[in-house]
């Protein structure tokens, strides 16, 4: 009957009959010898026992697990498939079971996205649907390899993965996210890569669920699904991945419980019991010689088809090799034994399957079985390498489904007012945090749509995040009716652009009626923290978007939809190993910082390290003051002191130089005509900013404004703003406006010092004046509009009390010589304070994250976030040491590495590197050769600037050394 059926439907026109046995190893002679030896010493009872793989869970009671042990001993089981539990418990059980088995057991698991599919305390890799969006199949192979490594480490020999079902039915209740998608070629490519990775790790792969479970709305765990399609359709779609992977050497295949009328004429007969499907099509037509498993025989799709072992007998006679999870193994073995005695089951047929099972065991290394080591088991199953691969996979999967007018990546941050609205019932914290790494994003909430719309009128860009549970691929993914209505209402408000980010399976997009009013759609597939973080990075251009939809999600978004969005070279966030650095070695920073805190070098600090465009270390230490209860976080603002020079004033000077407003050889006389009759008239911009202009280190302007009691004199100050006294220095302290001229006049009266390197603040007083007069605006407004707002440095500002809560600003000193109070939110530098907090040399406040953005911009030759702030030639011109031959290490504004033994760096940086330090205990450095940005912020001047322990200890450069010692490649 089977052959008539085959004749009717024809043979596949391919050379699959020539397929090689995928179970044969390179040392095939030794393998065959071992298989034959094992088989020769088996009794019939032992041979029959090898056909069965029973289920056990390490979270079961000892009584339950002992039952399985007894079956192993008495029934000579061929294998065990583990279900729920934990890795250590499973390892112990495996060792116990293997010790009890005469022939080593083949240990199996369903670990499609890693061991966490079944076990706690293990790693969860992305689901297949997520992997299906990736265009670089080598990443999928890496995922398969890592899953294989984990399985092998836990003593698992076969992973029932990959799922080769083509999920063409969005309503499929059991496959869905477990499928690589609906494109048959993509499923083949991903399945091949995944299987290759696992096999490379030494674990047998298994293609399932033959002949294809992707287009059904019935779960075979509960009933028998019907696949009603023609043979032509099945050949071209459902069977296609199996044909291709068979040819590429797939070790094993699992047969599903499906009714497929086009392949099996007997109505109601599951494919797992069909000789026509298994022996006729899979073995003969497709030429498959690997190990064939039934799907679990306790599933309702098959278990109702017989009793007392008849289902297991039928499954074996149909052509399966290994019978998975039988309902009653004792009854099943008895049925098989009776069939053998009666000649229905021949020795040849039995030997065929048992020897294949033994070949699989040999291929899995069971000829040299060793117990599982328990030491470091948890660590081996949760490694940094896993994190790297997970991050790469998610990053490459994220899909920009719609990008109207190139709204993505988000540019021009200076004109964006961004709101975020949450939908869905799962966590969104990592996404909000990620968004705020790039811009000032406001979370907007309301109890009704009218209130929400009213609140959103203040914004011109709305980001909606749809967050659904990441616990399993079967969790709900849909928008609620209310959310769909709200989304449409938000989109209809055309006062703002709308970007929708979906952290769920692609089918969530199906229920949205129209996308006309949605400008950008981003599919992130899962709601893990990494998926949320990477989606924020895609939105703002820290990483490119290359993913494509693995399924059709909407009539507007068919399969393979995906806009390619290029990176804008904004900083991303990752782990050290992703950029060739060692997490372990970077822990030395923590030790050094603990030493700094314990030694009272500073109350608190922030440290940031970035490499190759990714922030890979960002931590805060200590407290705002020694007496504070609060701990420093990454959001706290520090007084940057002289970092202001290269982060605020220098960018404006560089801009002026590009525009021809200033030249490096311009003299002070040319820039400030009032200096034409002074000694400093011939000082050039080049020499002044290289600290080779013979100018004094600093001028204590404030001293001349104190009275005989060394308090602010009533001649120069008022306790409230009055006409002529509007320059705010401190709380209830306002300086005479006319004193600004006194500062510049005093600079003009300075005598030139000896002709040598001398660090000086004075040039930046002059540059501030030149910049402000050239543009007709204040320096703080200029820097904010030109640089800070556009680059996304939204926590960088002069006079932070005007914008931020005082509690988020770290105090810099208890002043007992000028302002007589806690200096918090006011610039510590007295000269800058006398300029209303806006100095060319000091006055800027920021956090480490924002500083890193500006330093990264320099590192990228003036480019960041889609904006070219400077020409690369300008950056190079200012980052050049012009007077190195005169023992002056400085560039134009930038500090440079020491020329001899000691200096501003660890001595481990490249000559191209640059940076600056600040009086309050701040430091930043960038190295183009190693692509490293380093930021250190502290308030070492609190409570007193006389505390120089930080400076004397060299802690900042010792941390720098630790950073460079952490480079792996």
């Amino acid at each position: 009957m089977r052959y008539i059926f085959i004749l009717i439907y024809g043979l596949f026109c391919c050379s699959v009959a020539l397929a090689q046995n995928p179970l044969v190893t390179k040392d095939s002679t030794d393998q065959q010898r071992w298989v034959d030896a094992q088989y020769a010493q088996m009794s019939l009872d032992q041979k029959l026992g090898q056909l069965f793989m029973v289920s056990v869970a390490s979270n079961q009671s000892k009584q339950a697990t002992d039952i399985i042990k007894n079956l192993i001993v008495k029934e000579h089981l061929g294998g065990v498939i583990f279900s729920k539990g934990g890795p250590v418990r499973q390892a112990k059980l495996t060792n116990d079971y293997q010790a009890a088995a005469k022939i080593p057991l083949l240990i199996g698991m369903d670990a499609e996205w890693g061991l966490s599919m079944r076990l706690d305390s293990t790693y969860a890799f992305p689901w297949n649907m997520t992997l299906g969006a990736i265009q670089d199949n080598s990443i999928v192979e890496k995922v398969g390899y890592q899953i294989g490594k984990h399985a092998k480490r836990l003593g698992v020999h076969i992973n029932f993965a990959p799922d080769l079902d083509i999920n063409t039915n969005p309503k499929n209740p059991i496959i869905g996210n477990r499928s690589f998608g609906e494109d048959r070629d993509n499923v083949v490519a991903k399945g091949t890569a995944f299987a290759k990775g696992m096999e490379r790790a030494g674990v047998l792969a298994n293609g399932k669920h033959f002949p294809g479970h992707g287009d059904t709305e019935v779960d075979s765990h509960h009933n028998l699904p019907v696949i009603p399609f023609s043979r032509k359709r099945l050949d071209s779609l459902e069977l296609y991945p199996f044909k291709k992977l068979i040819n590429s050497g797939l070790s094993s295949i699992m047969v599903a419980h499906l009714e497929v009328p086009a392949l099996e004429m007997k109505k109601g007969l599951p494919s797992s019991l069909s000789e026509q499907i298994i022996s006729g099509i899979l073995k003969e037509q497709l030429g498959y010689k690997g190990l064939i498993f039934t799907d679990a025989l306790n599933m309702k799709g098959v278990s109702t088809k017989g009793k007392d072992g008849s289902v297991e007998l039928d499954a074996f006679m149909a052509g399966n090799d290994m019978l998975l999870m039988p309902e009653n193994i004792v009854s099943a073995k008895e049925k098989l034994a009776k069939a053998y005695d009666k000649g229905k089951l021949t020795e040849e047929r039995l030997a065929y399957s048992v020897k294949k099972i033994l070949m699989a065991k040999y291929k899995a290394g069971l000829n040299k079985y060793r117990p599982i080591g328990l030491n470091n088991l948890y660590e081996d199953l949760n490694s940094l390498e896993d994190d790297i691969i997970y991050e790469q996979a998610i990053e490459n999967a994220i899909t920009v489904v719609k990008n109207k007018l190139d709204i993505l990546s988000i540019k021009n941050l200076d004109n964006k007012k961004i709101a975020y609205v949450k939908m869905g019932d799962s966590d969104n914290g990592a996404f909000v945090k990620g968004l705020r790494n790039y811009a000032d994003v406001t979370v907007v909430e309301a109890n009704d749509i009218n209130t929400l719309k009213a609140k959103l009128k203040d914004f011109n860009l709305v980001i909606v995040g749809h967050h659904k549970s990441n616990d399993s691929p079967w969790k709900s993914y849909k928008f609620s009716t209310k959310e769909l209505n709200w989304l449409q209402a938000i989109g209809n408000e055309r006062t703002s652009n709308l970007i929708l980010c979906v952290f769920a399976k692609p089918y969530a997009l199906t229920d949205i009626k129209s996308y006309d009013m949605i400008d950008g759609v981003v599919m992130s597939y899962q709601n893990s923290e990494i998926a949320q973080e990477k989606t924020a990075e895609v939105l703002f251009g820290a990483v490119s978007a290359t993913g494509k939809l693995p399924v059709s999600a909407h009539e507007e978004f068919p399969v393979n939809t995906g806009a390619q969005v290029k990176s804008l070279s904004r900083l991303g966030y990752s782990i050290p190993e992703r950029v060739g650095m060692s997490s372990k070695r970077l822990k030395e920073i923590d030790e050094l910082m603990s030493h700094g805190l314990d030694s009272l070098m500073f109350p608190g600090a922030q440290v940031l390290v970035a490499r190759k465009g990714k922030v890979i270390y960002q931590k805060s230490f200590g407290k705002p003051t020694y007496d504070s209860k609060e701990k420093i976080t990454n959001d706290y603002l520090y007084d940057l002191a002289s970092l202001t020079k290269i982060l605020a004033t220098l960018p404006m000077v560089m801009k002026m130089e590009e525009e021809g407003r200033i030249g490096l050889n311009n003299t002070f006389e040319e820039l400030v005509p009032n200096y034409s009759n002074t000694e400093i008239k011939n000082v050039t911009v080049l020499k002044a900013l290289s600290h080779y202009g013979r100018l004094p280190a600093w001028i204590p302007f404030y001293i001349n404004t104190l009275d005989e009691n060394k308090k602010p004199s009533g001649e120069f100050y008022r306790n409230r703003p009055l006409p002529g006294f509007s320059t705010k220095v401190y709380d209830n302290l306002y300086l005479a406006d006319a004193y600004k001229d006194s500062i510049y006049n005093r600079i003009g009266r300075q005598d030139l010092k000896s002709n040598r390197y001398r660090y000086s603040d004075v040039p930046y007083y002059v540059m501030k004046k030149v910049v402000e007069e050239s543009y007709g605006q204040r320096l703080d407004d200029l820097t904010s509009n030109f640089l800070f707002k556009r680059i996304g440095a939204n926590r960088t500002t002069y006079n932070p009390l005007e914008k931020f809560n005082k509690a988020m600003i770290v105090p810099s000193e208890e002043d007992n010589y000028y302002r007589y109070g806690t200096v918090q939110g006011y610039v510590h530098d007295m000269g800058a304070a006398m300029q209303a907090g806006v100095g060319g040399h000091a006055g800027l406040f920021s956090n480490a994250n924002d500083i890193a953005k500006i330093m990264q911009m320099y590192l990228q030759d003036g480019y960041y976030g889609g904006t070219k702030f400077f020409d690369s030639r300008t950056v190079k011109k200012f980052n050049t040491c012009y007077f190195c031959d005169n023992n002056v290490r400085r560039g134009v504004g930038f500090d440079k590495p020491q020329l001899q033994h000691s200096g501003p760096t660890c001595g481990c940086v490249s000559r191209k590197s640059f940076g600056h330090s600040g009086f309050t205990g701040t430091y930043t450095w960038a190295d183009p050769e190693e692509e490293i940005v380093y930021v250190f912020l502290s308030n070492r001047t609190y409570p007193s600037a006389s505390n120089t322990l930080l400076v004397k200890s060299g802690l900042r450069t010792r941390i720098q050394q630790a950073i460079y010692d952490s480079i792996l490649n």
Side-chain angles (χ1 to χ4, degrees), residues 458-486:
D458 294 332
F459 302 90
N460 58 20
L461 176 60
V462 179
I463 298 171
V464 172
H466 177 58
H467 300 267
K468 300 297 286 184
S469 174
N470 199 59
D471 289 346
S472 87
W474 299 287
K475 290 282 187 177
S476 169
Y477 61 91
K478 288 178 172 285
F479 288 88
S480 68
T481 302
K482 174 184 172 182
E483 287 169 341
L484 290 170
N485 292 334
W486 280 34

Side-chain angles (χ1 to χ4, degrees), residues 371-505:
I372 304 164
L374 300 181
N375 288 341
N376 298 316
L377 181 60
Y378 174 83
E379 290 76 12
D380 293 342
L381 300 179
N382 296 274
S383 70
L384 285 168
E385 191 175 1
D386 300 327
D387 292 335
I388 293 170
I389 292 168
Y390 184 96
E391 185 178 287
Q392 286 179 326
I394 292 293
E395 195 173 291
N396 281 270
I398 294 171
T399 305
V400 175
V401 179
K402 182 177 181 180
N403 193 19
K404 183 178 179 181
L405 299 177
D406 291 328
I407 191 171
L408 298 171
S409 300
I410 300 169
K411 309 175 192 71
N412 305 319
L413 297 181
D414 52 322
N415 63 21
K416 297 291 190 297
K417 289 197 68 178
I418 306 174
Y420 162 81
V421 176
K422 181 194 175 185
M423 291 185 181
D425 52 12
S426 194
D427 180 67
N428 66 330
F431 188 48
V432 173
K433 182 181 177 182
L435 294 174
R436 287 173 172 168
N437 280 330
Y438 299 100
D440 186 8
V441 177
T442 303
V443 175
V444 178
E445 299 173 325
N447 293 324
D448 61 85
I449 187 59
N450 290 328
T451 303
L452 183 67
K453 289 194 297 183
K455 289 182 177 181
L456 292 178
K457 287 187 182 296
D458 294 332
F459 302 90
N460 58 20
L461 176 60
V462 179
I463 298 171
V464 172
H466 177 58
H467 300 267
K468 300 297 286 184
S469 174
N470 199 59
D471 289 346
S472 87
W474 299 287
K475 290 282 187 177
S476 169
Y477 61 91
K478 288 178 172 285
F479 288 88
S480 68
T481 302
K482 174 184 172 182
E483 287 169 341
L484 290 170
N485 292 334
W486 280 34
L487 184 63
Q488 209 67 42
I490 294 169
N492 290 335
E493 297 292 309
R494 299 313 295 161
T495 55
S496 60
N497 292 112
L498 176 59
I499 297 172
L500 172 64
C501 299
V502 177
F503 300 91
K505 71 170 69 171

Side-chain angles (χ1 to χ4, degrees), residues 6 9-19 184 231-232 235-236 239-240 243-244 247 280-281 284-287:
I6 294 168
Y9 284 100
L11 296 171
F12 283 102
C13 49
C14 56
S15 59
V16 294
L18 301 176
R184 68 175 197 171
R231 178 63 185 268
K232 183 178 180 181
D235 284 348
S236 65
L239 290 171
Y240 185 81
K243 289 189 284 183
K244 291 295 184 180
N247 288 337
I281 295 175
E284 295 185 19
Q285 290 185 21
L286 298 185

